[in-house]
Amino acid sequence: MPNLDGPDLEWKATAIADLLAIIDYISDDNPDAAQSLKDEIEQKTSRLPEHPQMYRIGRVEGTREMVVRPNYIVVYAESPEIVTILRILHAAQLWP
């Protein structure tokens, strides 16, 4: 039976670890900036199920990329049932 509310949102463990590492790194110098970035990423990703194709096609086949800020990219995959957050990367990082 199709999900009438749209796809669900799932975070892979690697994406959660990425986010925590980024926030930890930034918070060493600026805890407020770290919290602000975390809030922004969580807020923007929470809306992905509403419009999963809004962002560019990813560099890895089957993915899409949402640029949260010029240096931070959310890599995700989408299907009719689920949007899966795969990684949270600094733009200087190579993926996969």
Side-chain angles (χ1 to χ4, degrees), residues 3-88:
N3 183 350
L4 300 177
D5 296 330
D8 291 328
L9 182 65
E10 172 188 72
W11 284 70
K12 289 291 189 187
T14 51
I16 294 169
D18 290 340
L19 180 60
L20 294 175
I22 290 166
I23 299 311
D24 185 51
Y25 179 78
I26 295 171
S27 68
D28 288 345
D29 292 327
N30 190 334
D32 291 336
Q35 185 63 50
S36 175
L37 177 62
K38 180 179 181 287
D39 292 345
E40 185 176 354
I41 289 172
E42 289 176 344
Q43 184 246 353
K44 288 184 175 181
T45 56
S46 72
R47 293 193 312 246
L48 276 174
E50 297 167 26
H51 303 286
Q53 295 182 352
M54 182 174 169
Y55 298 98
R56 70 183 185 203
I57 294 173
R59 289 168 268 191
V60 173
E61 187 175 341
T63 68
R64 290 192 169 270
E65 297 178 358
M66 174 177 59
V67 178
V68 176
R69 293 186 183 172
N71 288 329
Y72 295 98
I73 300 167
V74 175
V75 180
Y76 67 97
E78 48 109 1
S79 74
E81 297 82 30
I82 194 162
V83 173
T84 306
I85 309 298
L86 303 170
R87 301 293 310 264
I88 310 292

